[in-house]
Amino acid sequence: MEPAAEGDAEMLGTPDPELASTMGFSGFGKKARTFDLEAMFEQTRRTAVERSRKVLEAREREKEDQTEKEFRIPYGASSVSASRATRPGSTLSERVAVCSESEDNSHEALSGPSMQSQSSAKGPAEDTGDDDDDEDDDEEFIGPPLPPGFKDSDDDNDNDDTEEEDNNPVKKIPDSHEITLQHGTKTVSALGLDPSGARLITGGYDYDVKFWDFAGMDASLQAFRSLQPCECHQIKSLQYSSTGDVILVVSGNSQAKVLDRDGFPVMECIKGDQYIVDMTNTKGHTAMLNSGCWHPKIKEEFLTCSNDGTVRTWDVNNEKKHKSVFKPRSVQGKRVIPTTCTYSRDGKLIAAGCQDGSIQIWDRNMSVHTKFHCRQAHASGTDTSCLTFSYDGTVLASRGGDDTLKIWDIRQFKKPLNSADGLPSFFPMTDCCFSPDDKILVTGTSVKKGGGSGKLFFFYRETFQKLYEIEVTDASVVRCLWHPKLNQIMVGTGNGLAKVYYDPVKSQRGAKLCVVKTKRKERQAETLTQDYIITPHALPMFREPRQRSTRKQLEKDRLDPMKSHKPEPPVAGAGRGGRVGTHGVTLSSYIVKNIALDKTDDSNPREAILRHAKEAEENPYWVAPAYAKTQPKTVFAEVEPEDDETDKPEWKKRKI
């Protein structure tokens, strides 16, 4: 190699250290450092095992010392010392001691697991095991068992509470607190909560729909909006869609409405032709609606049932015609009126309760024949007021007008699983609902005026044993709703109240947001003081002088020529003083004045037409262009000389 090349190689291989440090390349020329990960993991594992072994030895020594003290000290003192040793503080002291010992071993690397993981590491006898065995045994507790009666932490208390709740479902019912919303004076016949639980809507027999916002209300509990979407029709059902952006309103008329969250109309179903016999050929319902609900999965679809004997599905985007029609039939194949309808939880089934006491269930995609039906579900001639599916989708609960509550397995639909009677119902919309954990069934009862208190009954789903009851108010309980997210129970009553039951611990948000807000106080300064309103005419320069006497004002007006001018009397006759006289005020006088005085003589029609001949010749418009080619020269009839009629007798002369 040439000397120049050798010099270049030296510069490339071993750079000048000063130049390298200046340029920031001080690492050039050093060999890369390698790390053995397996060795590091093994060292970490050994360190953890060693520390765990020390913890175990310290606990064993402590235990031996305690046993020696129990033998040496009398029984009374030993019991006291033992109780002190069994308290959590003793365990904490042991841990502090072990930590101090581990801190003394400063020569060991601090790359092992934390103290919590050290307590769950393996014992010394497992040092020679494989790594897989170590991972399997990491969860084993190292050390002696805890003394009797020792509670490690608050988690044990929480577990005990949850076990008690599992054993006693009554503790899951959130009824320790309640608030009352004043809807009106008449029955609250509809309740609806959006999926998030932020807003509640109530509807009643007074045609009103009120909106309640839990986050915006204070302790005065006032609705922020009230409207009458269906004029003079009672509200029968209100429900938010699965996304919570629109509301289905079912009232006593034949057209369901859809409103947005603020109450503005989105669509209205079309009314059918009531003169068509086959209800399939009509585009909408022809009689009063009874119930309705949204599809649980498809946010644009909803369901309604009516007194015209049909159950129809609708699309929000198409208000001109229904999607499909389901027609429930009696045993004889005749039309029967559905009083309630609902979707299954997955939206594949449609169920309807009818006036003949039957419950009929269709496949949503097959509207001709029922998939399940029970003819004698409830007493014939009564209104089945509610059908609702459980959250697991296998059980159907029905609230009948025959004062019963029944639960059905749709796979064996001929006979109910359980039934409860003696639950009076006076309203065609008395409903029932399942608890969020699907173990409790809730319904309300009706009472006559002055006949006691309306109650809310809770039944255990498996055995149908009555678990609990709540006296709501001295009126019927019509609607009940148990929201799964809020864990709060909403109740609509027959005297215009909507009550919300909640528990400060078990419930979330909802009514808890508004009860903590104090009522807004009116500022006393605004109520006591009165602000002066200054207008331009209140200033002295614009102010009119105060009228002191009417007589003086009349004298001034007499001197004013404009105010004291006497109106001109109507002119009679031909007129005078430049004023034209009227010829009377009747229609005949008006006609005589304007029409009958026309003296133009049109007795000769030929002359009347030829009056316009010159103008028509100069500017032809109608006749001349039509005859321009066929008869360019106009031919008129010649005027014949009139015969002398003087010689004719009187009776031959022409009468004019």
Side-chain angles (χ1 to χ4, degrees), residues 157-299:
N157 297 330
D158 296 340
N159 295 333
D160 294 341
D161 294 340
T162 55
E163 289 178 1
E164 289 181 2
E165 286 188 0
D166 291 338
N167 296 331
N168 188 7
V170 177
K171 293 191 175 181
K172 297 181 180 180
I173 300 173
D175 68 326
S176 59
H177 295 68
E178 68 173 278
I179 63 172
T180 302
L181 308 176
Q182 184 71 43
H183 172 85
T185 58
K186 295 186 178 180
T187 301
V188 177
S189 55
L191 286 176
L193 261 174
D194 66 341
S196 63
R199 284 189 177 181
L200 171 71
I201 49 175
T202 59
Y205 279 8
D206 54 358
Y207 323 132
D208 288 337
V209 173
K210 292 195 175 182
F211 293 73
W212 314 81
D213 189 359
F214 290 119
M217 282 193 302
D218 55 11
S220 61
L221 304 177
Q222 297 295 323
F224 74 92
R225 179 163 293 130
S226 177
L227 51 97
Q228 292 185 356
C230 302
E231 290 86 24
C232 298
H233 294 282
Q234 295 174 350
I235 307 300
K236 294 195 171 183
S237 176
L238 295 170
Q239 189 181 13
Y240 277 91
S241 64
S242 58
T243 55
D245 54 348
V246 286
I247 306 165
L248 174 63
V249 181
V250 176
S251 63
N253 62 353
S254 60
Q255 297 170 272
K257 285 190 176 182
V258 177
L259 310 177
D260 63 3
R261 284 181 63 86
D262 296 323
F264 297 102
V266 176
M267 66 91 69
E268 182 178 14
C269 298
I270 193 171
K271 186 176 182 179
D273 190 347
Q274 57 187 350
Y275 296 105
I276 296 178
V277 177
D278 188 1
M279 288 292 105
T280 308
N281 297 328
T282 61
K283 297 180 180 180
H285 288 295
T286 61
M288 180 182 69
L289 297 176
N290 289 322
S291 180
C293 65
W294 286 99
H295 193 285
K297 304 292 184 183
I298 306 173
K299 65 178 183 178

